[in-house]
């Protein structure tokens, strides 16, 4: 139970200080007042908050933002290593400069709004502002749960909308041009596996010989690898292998028989053993220095100093990028790699940046492709081609490893020609025609055509057949009832819309029951 203590100042002024005990049994002050009645009310309110679990540690709230984030939040926040690396970058580059010296209980929503406004004025993108909002919200949520603060500064603070660019799916012709431009058979197989499986980069470069069952053609995706800076790696390395892929669930998917044969041939040609990586980093080439010109010197740097060509000083301090200085730097790095420094020997994981700069971008240039195509776009192409070819969303979701169907639904209208039904319906009503001639005659997906022609033949069981037939009959009966009541085609439901509704109902039924046969 709390109490009030009498305090007499040097001037003889009488004051009363309210005391109470927190959840850990430590005596704390609830403030000093001029009358004892006010002090009693103060410690009673404080005790009530402790009992109700609404206790706020005023002493902890007075600590600065930088101390709480660096000593409390970052070390104890449970996230993946690559997420911790990303959060630390946001904290050190943006948040500490703005809130580092402020006390935790002094940061208000107005300060957060001003911070976001200044970020936009400095030219930061909407995505960067949203990332800062995410990290800042996580920090203050933890502080609120720890009773460090009593008000969440990010509550009610809005960030600019991040525009979502439409997916531009890779075409089969572009894919063939890229594969033909790849310089090595190993890289061509890597791209073939990526387009045939839809794996993420970390899952792809972590594939090992034992992940593929050559008899059944089933590929098991059970692990992934992420690239980290040494300060975020538990052992100070660069690659961290996780015993589970994204969303913490392994998955199995079937590969094409021709692709399985290519993988088996790759294993035999390279003498890969059980447990070895399918796509390991290649052996580094030995660099040799190029003799610099006699008496050659670099241009003066910002400090006005010049250095000899063909030296490390000319490359680093002088900033020269001639062939002699670049060769000297490459030779120096090759010697370090040969000594086991900087990079491990061959057989390690394939670095993403190495493949992007040395293999992928040169192949795009050789193929004559000018638009930006990422390696991850192969995953988008895999999913879009599956949906357009007739695969149901549930199968596509499982192959991609999505946590929910919402992430898979974005591939429904990613290819041209998927809105043919909508154009046909519009033409029927506007021009009062029975058929529509689209500007480009795109074929409808095979799944939609087969559902309209033979709905009962798609289901594998008697229960699925009854569901499909019943669903179609109900929709048709409802549409006939609207037309029988004398509604005109302009105000009622057209045949094209009726077909669209029927197709949507059948598609949802088949996706839910997962009874669409493989083709």
């Amino acid at each position: 139970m709390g109490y009030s203590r009498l305090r007499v100042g040097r001037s003889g002024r009488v004051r009363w200080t309210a005391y109470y005990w927190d959840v850990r049994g430590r005596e704390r002050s609830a403030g000093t007042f001029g009358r004892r009645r006010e002090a009693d009310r103060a410690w009673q309110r404080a005790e009530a908050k402790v009992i109700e679990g609404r206790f706020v540690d005023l002493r902890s709230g007075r600590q600065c933002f930088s101390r709480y984030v660096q000593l409390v939040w970052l070390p104890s926040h449970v996230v993946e290593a690559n997420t911790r690396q990303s959060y630390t970058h946001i904290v050190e580059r943006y948040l500490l400069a703005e809130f580092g010296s402020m006390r935790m209980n002094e940061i208000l929503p107005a300060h957060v709004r001003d911070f976001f406004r200044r970020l936009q004025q400095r030219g930061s993108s909407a995505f960067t502002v949203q990332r800062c909002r995410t990290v800042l919200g996580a920090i203050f949520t933890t502080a609120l749960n720890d009773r460090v603060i009593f008000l969440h500064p990010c509550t009610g603070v809005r960030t600019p909308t991040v525009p979502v660019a439409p997916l531009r799916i890779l075409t089969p012709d572009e894919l063939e041009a890229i594969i033909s431009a790849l310089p090595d058979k190993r890289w061509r197989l890597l791209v073939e596996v990526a387009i045939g499986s839809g794996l993420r980069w970390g899952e792809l470069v972590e594939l090992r010989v034992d992940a593929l069952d050559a008899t059944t053609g089933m590929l098991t995706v059970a692990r992934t690898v992420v690239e980290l800076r040494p300060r975020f790696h538990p052992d100070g390395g660069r690659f961290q292998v996780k015993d589970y892929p994204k969303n913490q669930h392994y998955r199995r998917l079937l590969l094409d028989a021709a692709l399985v044969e290519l993988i088996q041939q790759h294993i035999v040609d390279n003498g890969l053993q059980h447990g070895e990586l399918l796509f390991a980093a290649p052996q580094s080439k030995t660099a040799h220095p190029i003799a610099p010109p006699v008496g050659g010197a670099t241009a003066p740097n910002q400090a006005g100093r010049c250095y000899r060509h063909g030296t490390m000083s000319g490359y680093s301090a002088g900033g020269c990028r001639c062939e002699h200085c670049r060769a000297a730097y490459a030779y120096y790095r090759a010697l370090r790699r040969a000594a086991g420094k900087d990079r491990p020997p061959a057989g390690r994981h394939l670095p993403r940046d190495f493949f992007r700069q040395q293999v992928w971008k040169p192949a795009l240039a050789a193929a004559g492709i000018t638009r930006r195509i990422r390696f991850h776009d192969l995953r988008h192409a895999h999913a879009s081609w599956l949906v357009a070819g007739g695969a149901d969303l549930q199968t596509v979701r499982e192959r991609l490893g999505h946590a929910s169907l919402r992430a898979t639904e974005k591939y429904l209208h990613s290819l041209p020609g998927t809105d043919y039904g909508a154009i046909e319906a519009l033409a029927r009503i506007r021009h009062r025609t029975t058929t529509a001639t689209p500007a480009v005659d795109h074929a409808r997906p095979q799944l939609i055509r087969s559902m309209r022609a033979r709905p009962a033949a798609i289901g594998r069981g008697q229960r699925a057949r009854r569901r499909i037939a019943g669903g179609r009959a109900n929709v048709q009966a409802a549409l006939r009832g609207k037309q029988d009541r004398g509604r005109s085609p302009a105000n009622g439901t057209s045949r094209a819309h009726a077909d669209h509704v029927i197709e949507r109902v059948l598609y949802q039924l088949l996706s839910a029951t997962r009874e669409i046969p493989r083709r």
Side-chain angles (χ1 to χ4, degrees), residues 370-390:
T370 56
R371 70 182 184 94
R372 179 173 179 263
I373 298 179
R374 306 168 302 167
F375 187 85
H376 192 74
D377 292 333
L378 298 176
R379 176 176 169 86
H380 294 324
H382 174 82
S384 298
W385 294 357
L386 285 179
V387 174

Side-chain angles (χ1 to χ4, degrees), residues 38-263:
E38 296 175 353
D40 291 340
R41 291 175 180 174
W43 67 256
Q44 290 171 3
R45 287 194 301 267
E47 277 196 345
K49 290 182 180 180
V50 172
I51 296 175
E52 295 174 2
R54 297 187 293 114
F55 165 74
V56 177
D57 191 352
L58 299 179
R59 183 178 303 175
S60 298
R62 288 192 290 267
Q63 63 180 318
C64 61
F65 178 85
S66 60
R67 182 185 183 278
Y68 178 79
V69 171
Q70 294 177 328
L71 300 183
V72 179
W73 186 75
L74 274 176
S76 61
H77 198 57
V78 181
V79 289
E80 298 289 350
N82 53 337
T83 305
R84 183 180 303 278
Q85 176 177 281
S86 175
Y87 281 9
T88 305
H89 170 73
I90 295 295
V91 167
E92 294 177 350
R93 182 170 181 177
Y94 299 102
L95 302 185
L96 291 183
E98 180 71 21
F99 304 104
S101 60
M102 298 181 65
R103 292 182 177 182
M104 290 293 294
N105 55 11
E106 292 178 350
I107 302 176
L108 300 176
H111 300 134
V112 178
R113 281 193 294 269
D114 291 341
F115 168 59
F116 292 158
R117 178 179 53 81
R118 284 191 292 271
L119 279 181
Q120 297 179 69
Q121 291 176 352
R122 291 197 294 264
S124 298
S125 63
F127 177 77
T128 300
V129 177
Q130 191 178 71
R131 289 289 295 168
C132 292
R133 168 67 173 80
T134 300
V135 178
L136 201 61
I139 293 173
F140 287 121
T141 298
T142 305
L144 188 65
N145 295 334
D146 292 343
R147 301 296 188 269
V148 175
I149 57 176
F150 61 91
L151 173 67
H152 200 303
C154 294
T155 302
V157 179
R158 302 187 61 180
T159 56
T161 303
V162 179
V164 180
L167 285 177
R168 185 176 177 183
I169 301 303
L170 189 71
T171 64
D173 293 337
E174 291 175 332
L175 177 65
E176 293 301 327
I178 294 174
I179 293 178
S180 301
L182 289 172
D184 190 81
K185 182 170 61 175
R186 174 192 311 179
W187 307 133
R188 291 193 287 270
L189 178 61
L190 177 67
V191 174
E192 290 284 1
V193 174
I195 195 65
S197 62
L199 297 183
R200 302 177 180 92
W201 173 262
E203 300 167 345
L204 187 63
V205 299
E206 176 53 26
L207 282 181
R208 299 181 183 268
V209 175
D210 54 332
L212 177 65
D213 188 345
T215 304
T216 61
M218 297 297 295
L219 182 68
T220 303
V221 183
R223 299 193 302 184
T224 187
V225 63
V226 293
E227 294 184 50
L228 302 171
R229 296 178 182 176
R231 59 178 289 199
F232 298 101
H233 195 284
D235 301 327
R238 181 177 180 182
F239 297 93
Q240 182 187 25
V241 177
K242 298 193 296 185
D243 294 331
Y244 50 87
K246 192 175 181 179
N247 299 325
Q248 293 80 41
H249 295 288
Y250 79 92
R251 64 185 188 276
R252 303 184 68 199
L253 48 98
L254 182 65
L255 297 182
D256 184 72
L259 183 57
V260 174
E261 293 181 3
L262 291 177
I263 296 176

Side-chain angles (χ1 to χ4, degrees), residues 329-405:
Y329 185 77
Y331 180 67
Y332 167 75
R333 293 296 302 272
L335 292 179
R336 289 184 60 87
R337 288 193 295 269
K341 303 176 182 179
D342 292 343
R343 284 208 281 178
R348 65 185 182 90
H349 291 90
L350 179 64
R352 184 196 298 263
D353 188 67
F354 168 82
F355 181 82
R356 182 192 302 115
Q357 301 295 337
Q358 304 297 328
V359 180
W360 185 252
K361 287 186 176 181
L364 293 178
I369 299 177
T370 56
R371 70 182 184 94
R372 179 173 179 263
I373 298 179
R374 306 168 302 167
F375 187 85
H376 192 74
D377 292 333
L378 298 176
R379 176 176 169 86
H380 294 324
H382 174 82
S384 298
W385 294 357
L386 285 179
V387 174
D392 63 288
L393 282 182
Q394 182 65 19
T395 300
V396 178
R397 184 191 74 85
E398 292 182 354
R399 287 183 68 91
L400 296 180
H402 287 161
S404 64
L405 282 174

Side-chain angles (χ1 to χ4, degrees), residues 83 125 197 211 234 282 329 365 395 415 418 420 437 484 501 511:
T83 305
S125 63
S197 62
Y329 185 77
T395 300
L415 290 177
T418 54
Y420 176 78
T437 303
D484 293 340
V501 174
S511 297

